[in-house]
Amino acid sequence: VNNLAIYIHYPFCKSKCPYCDFNSHVRDSVDTNIFTKAYLTELDYFYQHTGDKTISSIFFGGGTPSLMPTSMVATILEAINKKWGFADDIEITLEANPTSSEAGKLKAFKDAGINRLSIGVQSLQADQLKFLGREHSADQAIQTIKTASKVFDKYSFDLIYALPQQTITQWRTQLLEALPLVNNHISLYQLTIEPATQFYHHYNAGKFTMPSNEVAADFYEATQEICDKHNLPAYEISNHAKKGYECKHNLAYWGYQQYLGIGPGAHGRVDINGNLHATEMLKSPEKWLEQVNVKKHGLKHNIELTAQDQLEERLIMGMRQIDGVKLSQLSQNKLQNLFFLNNQNLIEVTNTHLKPTKHGLLLINQVIEHLLKN
Ligand SMILES: C[S@@+](CC[C@H](N)C(=O)[O-])C[C@H]1O[C@@H](n2cnc3c(N)ncnc32)[C@H](O)[C@@H]1O
Ligand code: SF4
């Protein structure tokens, strides 16, 4: 119960991908010494308020954390270990882009304490990589996976599917080509058009069309079928792993355990002086930096969550997982209102759990909306 997960957001990328709405920025240069100091200051601030905890997982996400100097990662990890202390089986993941993941750098990340790599491959097809605005080739991505497999015991990579023009046969072929490169975990995302991205404008201007909901559902089903057959079942909508190899940070996040979010735009759910708070940092790297220098933290929002808020969030997060949420963690009036979803074959209620059916997972946003209304 005294476990804490830590998320560290690194908000810089070499270039901005046209589909991406993560808090990522392109700058001519970044003074990484100043940023390192600010991360340490913010960690220290929260250490004063969280009390004694053991760190069960750390996740460097972005942006492109593989652009961080390896010494920066080492310094941050040393500071976390010195303050709270690492659990014996701590998992420390870093998101890596093939364009900043040379073999020497990956080894140095391992020496710095990283023990799991998550690689942004996105596609193994040249035309799709180009469409997605990626600056690496498929060969480069495969090389990064192969190097990662030599350096790290645990690694994963991301692919994006249901692209315009892509056929299900093409996707099946690509996924089958990718599977021999998988160790124990893979993330497979359907392309989504996020507001304010370049794709959003191009899509609205009619420059490309997206697969219909029915076609997208077929893509999803083909994905599940192939992964199930290869012993990589989904443990969440977009995440597949062999049993026991689920990403610890993901499990903490969806299982509604406490996580501290550090760095520009990071979100957290963390006990502050004994009450669970929803925290959110300033998004702009420069504004965050400025505020950390003055206030010792970059908080934009810091809201104490009521018991009702927590129940609802637990439901929203938990229902994205295949195992769903424990009935014991839901309120009684919620349970009395499940008949509609049950009748529609969207949810399943076992003796212990409320979980989405396969059909329900496809429509998870509507399912959650309905659950929250009741
Ligand atoms: C923060 S990014 C990853 C790491 C690294 N910056 C990279 O691009 O290699 C996390 C992942 O989210 C996925 N992603 C981002 N935007 C998406 C979108 N609009 N639709 C589907 N997947 C998306 C990509 O697969 C990406 O690798
Ligand atoms: S997908 Fe990765 S590299 Fe591309 S802009 Fe987003 S965070 Fe940066």
Side-chain angles (χ1 to χ4, degrees), residues 288-307:
W288 174 82
L289 198 60
E290 215 174 282
Q291 187 179 302
V292 172
N293 284 334
V294 178
K295 294 190 182 170
K296 311 293 174 209
H297 64 74
L299 282 168
K300 179 181 172 204
H301 297 301
N302 181 15
I303 299 161
E304 195 176 319
L305 296 171
T306 64

Side-chain angles (χ1 to χ4, degrees), residues 19 22 62-64 95 97 120 122 134 158 160 189-192:
Y19 54 85
F22 284 81
T64 306
E95 276 183 350
N97 189 313
Q122 321 309 1
R134 300 294 288 185
D158 301 348
I160 304 181
Y189 300 102
Q190 288 203 15
L191 177 64
T192 52

Side-chain angles (χ1 to χ4, degrees), residues 66-193:
S66 54
L67 287 175
M68 293 167 94
T70 54
S71 60
M72 180 174 185
V73 171
T75 305
I76 291 173
L77 289 177
E78 272 161 31
I80 294 174
N81 197 9
K82 220 166 132 193
K83 292 182 207 304
W84 288 275
F86 290 173
D88 291 340
D89 59 349
I90 189 169
E91 186 173 281
I92 308 178
T93 304
L94 179 123
E95 276 183 350
N97 189 313
T99 54
S100 50
S101 304
E102 318 77 70
K105 190 153 196 195
L106 295 192
K107 286 201 193 82
F109 276 135
K110 186 183 183 184
D111 292 339
I114 300 298
N115 60 22
R116 182 176 181 276
L117 205 71
S118 172
I119 308 159
V121 172
Q122 321 309 1
S123 172
L124 294 173
Q125 248 177 266
D127 57 335
Q128 291 175 357
L129 286 170
K130 188 163 173 232
F131 174 72
L132 293 169
R134 300 294 288 185
E135 294 195 326
H136 55 83
S137 64
D139 277 350
Q140 248 176 306
I142 292 173
Q143 205 43 57
T144 305
I145 299 173
K146 288 191 173 156
T147 307
S149 74
K150 288 188 194 119
V151 176
F152 296 99
D153 291 337
K154 286 189 274 188
Y155 68 89
S156 176
F157 59 92
D158 301 348
L159 292 175
I160 304 181
Y161 67 99
L163 306 183
Q165 313 287 338
Q166 188 178 37
T167 65
I168 294 186
T169 311
Q170 273 174 356
W171 166 236
R172 281 179 175 273
T173 308
Q174 187 176 164
L175 184 54
L176 288 170
E177 192 191 334
L179 285 175
L181 300 166
V182 175
N183 150 286
N184 295 307
H185 189 288
I186 186 169
S187 303
L188 303 168
Y189 300 102
Q190 288 203 15
L191 177 64
T192 52
I193 303 297

Side-chain angles (χ1 to χ4, degrees), residues 218-353:
D218 292 343
F219 267 100
Y220 183 79
E221 262 155 39
T223 307
Q224 304 312 309
E225 178 207 310
I226 292 174
C227 288
D228 284 347
K229 215 181 274 171
H230 287 80
N231 190 24
L232 286 165
Y235 64 98
E236 184 264 358
I237 299 174
S238 308
N239 283 279
H240 296 255
K242 280 189 197 144
K243 272 265 161 294
Y245 289 90
E246 298 86 357
C247 168
K248 282 195 183 179
H249 185 80
N250 286 349
L251 291 182
Y253 184 62
W254 292 313
Y256 208 54
Q257 290 156 33
Q258 283 191 43
Y259 60 98
L260 175 59
I262 294 290
H267 290 245
R269 291 289 180 276
V270 65
D271 259 357
I272 296 180
N273 304 330
N275 298 310
L276 191 69
H277 284 235
T279 61
E280 187 186 340
M281 303 302 170
L282 290 165
K283 269 189 147 184
S284 149
E286 291 75 21
K287 290 202 176 117
W288 174 82
L289 198 60
E290 215 174 282
Q291 187 179 302
V292 172
N293 284 334
V294 178
K295 294 190 182 170
K296 311 293 174 209
H297 64 74
L299 282 168
K300 179 181 172 204
H301 297 301
N302 181 15
I303 299 161
E304 195 176 319
L305 296 171
T306 64
Q308 182 63 22
D309 293 337
Q310 293 181 37
L311 274 174
E312 294 194 349
E313 289 200 337
R314 200 183 283 283
L315 189 66
I316 293 171
M317 303 307 287
M319 286 300 280
R320 293 179 60 90
Q321 301 178 103
I322 303 301
D323 291 341
V325 282
K326 282 197 189 125
L327 291 179
S328 57
Q329 294 176 333
L330 296 174
S331 65
Q332 211 44 46
N333 66 343
K334 201 117 278 174
L335 296 178
Q336 286 158 7
N337 281 305
L338 298 175
F339 296 110
F340 171 78
L341 293 169
N342 211 351
N343 284 341
Q344 304 276 318
N345 187 30
L346 291 168
I347 55 160
E348 192 186 327
V349 185
T350 69
N351 284 339
T352 54
H353 281 75

Side-chain angles (χ1 to χ4, degrees), residues 13 15-17 19-20 24 63-64 97 134:
C13 294
S15 61
K16 183 82 188 175
C17 305
Y19 54 85
C20 178
S24 61
T64 306
N97 189 313
R134 300 294 288 185

